[in-house]
Every structure is written in structure tokens, then in C-alpha cells.
Amino acid sequence: MTFHGGSLSRMTLFLAGFFAFISFPAEAAVKKYQFDIQVKKVSRLCHAKPIVTVNGRFPGPTIYAREGDRVIVNVTNHAKYNMSIHWHGLKQYRNGWADGPAYITQCPIKTGNSYTYDFNVTGQRGTLWWHAHILWLRATVYGAIVIMPKQGTPFPFPQPNMEQIIILGEWWHTDVEELVKQGTNMGLPPNMSDAHTINGKPGPLFPCSEKHTFAMEVESGKTYLLRIINAALNDELFFAIAGHDMTVVEVDAVYTKPFTTQAILIAPGQTTNVLVQANQLPGRYFMAARPFMDVPLPTDNKIATGILQYKGIPNTVLPTLPQLPAPNDTAFTLNYNKKLRSLNSAKFPANVPLKVDRKLFYTIGFGKDPCPTCLNGTKLLASLNNISFVMPKVGLLQAHYFNMKGVFRTDFPDKPPKPFNYTGAPLTANLGTAHGTRLSKIAFNSTVELVLQDTNLLTVESHPFHLHGYNFFVVGTGIGNFDPVKDPAKYNLVDPIERNSVGVPTGGWTAIRFKADNPGVWFMHCHLELHTGWGLKMAFVVEDGPGADQSILPPPKGLPPC
């Protein structure tokens, strides 16, 4: 509290301060961070290479805030690549300018330039994360966001004694951007990663990695909150700790009905908070992560490990490995996702939209385009409703806000051009996939139901989709073709999980609902970097509402020029 002028006595000041303290919660704070994008040489798997980092750290620094805080992050780019940072899962109400995806809400920060992301953390608490949102730079440019509940608000689960961030990632031997360039030139997927990592370290099952192993010390009888983030580019991951059950209490910064499991499944972009009790025989126990892939596509199947070590146990004791589900255990993943339910308590209700204003049905497909210079004369592409998204040269949010003509069209179709047996025999015929920067226009405050349907165009595959600017409720999911008559009858409209990133199962569908109450241009894309690059993305233009506080805020000074 600031008082100007000296008319108040010190005693009155003290009392005013005291009463303010007892009668009101703590005022929102401003948290400031400086992110310097710089190249640093890092050694992993017996080999050093330069990587792009924030402040020379890998993973990058954690952003700590409390619900209600204002966060200001000044990003200065010293690297040779263009840069932009996305604050994954933050709703950015009316403030798409701080969302970060390059060419969607801003043009990137060029070498030698800076941009300040300024946003409020409103009505959200839990674990989220930030990452580069341009090229494949998020391979090394990522970190956690920890939002504590408002002062005096306890967690709706037993208070842990300690907490620990666990970020799962991927590591390539070579320069990731060069790999992607080669892949694009050949029209093929680039080489898969050489290792998975836990907090940037692959663990002792990899060569030269004894010293690159994450270890966490625990004390018998204590409870630990693990904030787990999947920052991998292309792999859904299983995670488990030998001998220890985990109790899931939150996903994507939304409290869940607690349930206990031996392993979790976490897709790129998702976060999961679990409670772990140090209640086993004191020793050393491996925590491990390995991909889930239930179609015959090549994946980096090697296991990343870290160590859960009881206090006082010497490093000479060999740790035991956990039982992870088999890499293709579809039954586990479907069963696990079924257990995820919103807490739906009086304090944290699940406000599921019951009436739907706009029904959308989007098919996910792969295809090939002719490419004379490519290896097979074709290059792979991906599409939604048979449209492969073309990135614009200016930010879509600017184009929308300033009414710039010719940047995008708002005729993205609400359903596929031709219905077909989506998950039948593989379809390899030329499907005439269209290319375009086409967006879907949504009326302010309307409720949207979107069914994402995987198809067998070339191959079925599991896809984690992320929607910017919103959380959504996952009201239904199934294998095979969505049935618009029978399937909605089975929706969970009571306590479905609410999140910002959801997996569409291999050869199946997922239905989500959200209320379009956040005006702006909001990106929706597959969070597998490979598929996003092939065009598996689109964006919603949510119109302004009638109220004074229901329209997009004016752009900040210093928005990067295009």
C-alpha cells in the first residue's frame, strides 16, 4: 500500500496496514523475469553441441507465481534464430498478444531484439509450462510454470512435505534445426531423437550419462508432490517410479478426483501432478519414462531414468527399475484416461456447457504432395478436414485486430468436405488436400462442441491436440468412427476432465466442449512437432463481445514487427 503526503501519523499507517492485512487477501504481486535467449555448449551422450537456451540453462528457469499475480517476462534474443515463447495453458484473457505462437499472435523476436510478455494469472493455479513456439526450438527452450493457490487457500488434497518439478524431454545428437531442414528437403520425417531426458538428463542407461542423471532425495514417511511435464517434441510417454504408487491430483492445472496408479501416461504439452509417499524400504529406486506408440512407426524406445534416493542410502546401492506398461499398451492408456475426472467440488466446480451452439467435426489425416526435389518425388503433409494449414507471413491476431485484408480467410469448414469410413482400410488415394490459411469464426460466448476424428488416411495414429486461450472439457472419447446419434448419449457431462491438451486415440475420436468467452485468434494444433510442421493445425477467430471488457486489448508497445 502506498500513501502519498505526510498527513497520516505512523500509528494510523500501522493500523491501516494491519486492518488491510486482516480483512483482505494479499494484493496481487508483479513477478518480473529476464529471459536471455543464448546459445550454450552442452554435453550429453559423450558429445557436446551448441543448443539454444534461456539464460544458459537447460531446462530453462521456472516461472513462479501465485493465482492473481501479474507476470512480466522480457525476452531478449541473442541467438541466430527467430524466437517466440508460448506460456502453455495460460488463458491470456483478451490478451493474445502475450500468447506467443509465431505468426499466429505475433511475429517472432528477431536476433538482437526484445519483446516483453505481460500477462495476468487469473483463475488458474497448478503446473503449466513455457516453451519456444517457432521451428523445433522447443527441443531445448522450455521450462516449468508453477502457480501457487491464492494465499491462505490450501490444496484440495493432503499437503505435501516437499515438491519437485520433473520435466520429460527429448535429446538429439545433432543440431535439431539442421535435421528438420534435411527432413523437409527430402519430404520425410527427420531422424527420431537419440534419448529421452528427465530434467534435461538421460540417466545411467545411456553412455557417458552417469553424471547426467537426475536424482531426488526423499525421507521415509514424507509425502512429495511431483509436478510432471511432458516437453518432448513427438512422443507420448509413460512415467513410473519403481516400488512407489502415484496419486494423480491435477492435470493441466486443473484439480482431479484423486486416484492411485503405478504409471501415468502424459502426452506432449500435458502436465500431471502426483503425490508420492516415501513409504518403501529405504533404498534407491529408478523413475523412468518411455514412449507409448500403438502403431508400427519407428520411435525412440530407449528408457530415460532418474533416481529416487532415500536419505542416508549410499550411491553404491543399485536402483531397481519400475514396471512400465508395454510400449503399445492401448488398453492401459484408454483405461488411464477414463480415470481422469474433474474434482468438481463446490470450490472447484466443473462448469460443463450443457447446451451446444456450434457443432464442429474435424478429421485428422495424412497425405502426400508432389515434390520433384524430394526423395520419393512426394512430401508428407497433414490436414484437418482435408486442409493443410499454411502459415502466414504476418501475425494473424494483428491481421484480425487491424482488419488487414488478404492474410486469412474465415471459411474453415465445420465438417469434412466428404464423409467416408474414417477408420476403415488405409486410404492412400490422392485426396486432393487443399492448402490454405483458413480460420473458423466463432461468436463470442457461444458454446462449441468439437469432435476430433482420427482417420486412416495413410495411417492411423494417436494425436495430442492443444487449444490456445482456453481449457476445454473432454466429454467423450472412443475407438472407431464417431456416431453422432449414439455416442453423445454416453458423454460425461457431470465431471469430465478439464484440460488444455488432449489425446485423440489411434483410430478413434475425442469430443471436447468449451465456451468461447475469450476474444482473439487462438491456435489449435497437434502438439507433435512433426505433424504441426506438416500442417496439422488451424485457428479460431473468437469475435469480440458487446461489453467494454469483452474485446481484445490493444496491442502492447514493442510488438515485434513482421
Side-chain angles (χ1 to χ4, degrees):
M1 230 184 280
T2 12
F3 290 96
H4 299 286
S7 55
L8 282 168
S9 75
R10 279 198 180 149
M11 188 60 199
T12 333
L13 257 175
F14 167 75
L15 284 175
F18 178 72
F19 285 122
F21 178 72
I22 56 166
S23 48
F24 303 106
E27 249 177 82
V30 178
K31 303 276 164 65
K32 290 187 172 175
Y33 290 87
Q34 172 62 34
F35 274 21
D36 285 303
I37 308 294
Q38 47 197 209
V39 171
K40 187 183 182 204
K41 233 180 174 164
V42 169
S43 176
R44 293 288 184 277
L45 313 180
C46 323
H47 166 80
K49 71 165 187 176
I51 61 167
V52 182
T53 68
V54 168
N55 301 351
R57 289 163 63 183
F58 169 67
T62 300
I63 298 261
Y64 289 97
R66 217 173 251 296
E67 181 181 340
D69 283 355
R70 177 178 174 193
V71 176
I72 299 174
V73 188
N74 184 58
V75 178
T76 304
N77 187 6
H78 307 279
K80 66 174 181 182
Y81 299 105
N82 282 345
M83 180 52 69
S84 78
I85 305 255
H86 171 50
W87 316 93
H88 185 115
L90 279 163
K91 291 183 187 169
Q92 305 289 12
Y93 184 64
R94 305 171 57 208
N95 186 26
W97 311 110
D99 190 39
Y103 301 107
I104 306 295
T105 57
Q106 66 167 91
C107 284
I109 307 161
K110 296 187 171 78
T111 308
N113 292 25
S114 297
Y115 176 51
T116 302
Y117 293 93
D118 184 341
F119 50 89
N120 295 322
V121 181
T122 312
Q124 293 184 273
R125 81 292 309 152
T127 307
L128 294 169
W129 65 301
W130 57 264
H131 60 83
H133 211 304
I134 181 165
L135 306 169
W136 283 38
L137 290 170
R138 72 177 184 86
T140 55
V141 179
Y142 61 80
I145 300 174
V146 172
I147 307 163
M148 295 306 288
K150 283 185 171 152
Q151 204 96 40
T153 307
F155 293 131
F157 47 80
Q159 187 72 27
N161 299 92
M162 303 273 285
E163 48 179 70
Q164 175 66 54
I165 293 163
I166 305 268
I167 310 188
L168 310 174
E170 281 183 274
W171 180 264
W172 278 261
H173 260 315
T174 44
D175 181 333
V176 181
E177 291 310 319
E178 281 309 310
L179 262 183
V180 176
K181 246 185 236 156
Q182 285 165 12
T184 309
N185 292 342
M186 295 200 304
L188 294 171
N191 289 357
M192 61 197 175
S193 53
D194 297 292
H196 288 94
T197 56
I198 296 177
N199 289 343
K201 297 167 178 177
L205 305 186
F206 286 89
C208 307
S209 297
E210 279 292 322
K211 62 181 183 296
H212 298 304
T213 300
F214 167 71
M216 166 183 174
E217 188 179 77
V218 297
E219 286 182 51
S220 284
K222 292 202 165 159
T223 301
Y224 295 82
L225 177 70
L226 304 188
R227 300 175 177 271
I228 306 165
I229 298 162
N230 185 352
L233 276 85
N234 297 307
D235 291 328
E236 295 185 64
L237 296 166
F238 291 121
F239 175 86
I241 304 170
H244 294 72
D245 284 343
M246 296 177 282
T247 302
V248 176
V249 291
E250 177 205 299
V251 297
D252 291 6
V254 175
Y255 294 132
T256 65
K257 288 191 169 66
F259 69 93
T260 300
T261 182
Q262 286 182 326
I264 66 163
L265 171 74
I266 185 166
Q270 293 181 336
T271 68
T272 305
N273 280 11
V274 301
L275 292 174
V276 175
Q277 288 179 319
N279 57 7
Q280 297 302 303
L281 191 68
R284 297 172 86 221
Y285 297 86
F286 269 135
M287 54 179 80
R290 174 176 70 192
F292 160 62
M293 173 56 88
D294 59 356
V295 286
L297 289 172
T299 33
D300 164 11
N301 252 330
K302 297 184 278 301
I303 299 178
T305 53
I307 296 171
L308 185 90
Q309 182 154 342
Y310 281 71
K311 199 173 179 168
I313 296 292
N315 286 354
T316 48
V317 176
L318 284 176
T320 46
L321 264 174
Q323 281 280 205
L324 285 165
N328 62 350
D329 193 341
T330 310
F332 175 90
T333 65
L334 294 172
N335 193 26
Y336 176 82
N337 283 327
K338 258 198 201 96
K339 291 181 195 163
L340 290 171
R341 304 275 171 128
S342 288
L343 184 60
N344 193 26
S345 62
K347 196 152 192 183
F348 302 104
N351 297 318
V352 191
L354 299 178
K355 158 182 114 26
V356 174
D357 300 315
R358 181 92 175 264
K359 284 193 173 168
L360 308 175
F361 182 80
Y362 291 178
T363 55
I364 301 162
F366 293 118
K368 290 178 180 175
D369 256 2
C371 170
T373 57
C374 293
L375 196 64
N376 304 325
T378 57
K379 65 173 186 200
L380 288 162
L381 58 86
S383 66
L384 285 166
N385 280 354
N386 213 21
I387 297 165
S388 191
F389 192 84
V390 177
M391 291 300 267
K393 300 280 185 281
V394 299
L396 293 174
L397 185 60
Q398 283 108 305
H400 169 58
Y401 187 85
F402 293 111
N403 226 346
M404 293 157 71
K405 299 281 173 263
V407 177
F408 65 86
R409 295 174 15 199
T410 53
D411 62 351
F412 190 90
D414 284 6
K415 52 182 196 293
K418 285 194 201 100
F420 58 96
N421 180 4
Y422 306 113
T423 54
L427 295 156
T428 50
N430 183 358
L431 299 146
T433 302
H435 295 255
T437 313
R438 292 164 69 178
L439 279 58
S440 180
K441 193 176 254 194
I442 307 281
F444 181 79
N445 244 352
S446 59
T447 55
V448 178
E449 176 176 305
L450 166 61
V451 176
L452 288 160
Q453 171 75 60
D454 188 29
T455 71
N456 210 344
L457 296 174
L458 296 189
T459 173
V460 286
E461 196 179 328
S462 168
H463 299 274
F465 268 84
H466 172 47
L467 174 60
H468 290 231
Y470 288 92
N471 279 352
F472 48 72
F473 291 96
V474 185
V475 293
T477 188
I479 299 298
N481 297 344
F482 174 72
D483 182 327
V485 180
K486 290 185 186 148
D487 286 326
K490 300 181 221 145
Y491 283 174
N492 173 7
L493 300 175
V494 178
D495 62 352
I497 197 64
E498 179 189 344
R499 54 188 330 168
N500 64 58
S501 302
V502 69
V504 178
T506 299
W509 56 271
T510 293
I512 65 170
R513 286 187 182 180
F514 63 96
K515 187 177 186 171
D517 57 3
N518 188 5
V521 176
W522 303 108
F523 204 20
M524 188 186 76
H525 58 97
C526 178
H527 218 281
L528 305 180
E529 222 45 51
L530 184 61
H531 296 168
T532 300
W534 289 349
L536 196 49
K537 51 195 168 187
M538 57 80 68
F540 293 109
V541 182
V542 178
E543 298 178 298
D544 283 349
D549 59 351
Q550 294 175 336
S551 56
I552 301 171
L553 293 167
K557 285 189 182 69
L559 193 67
C562 295

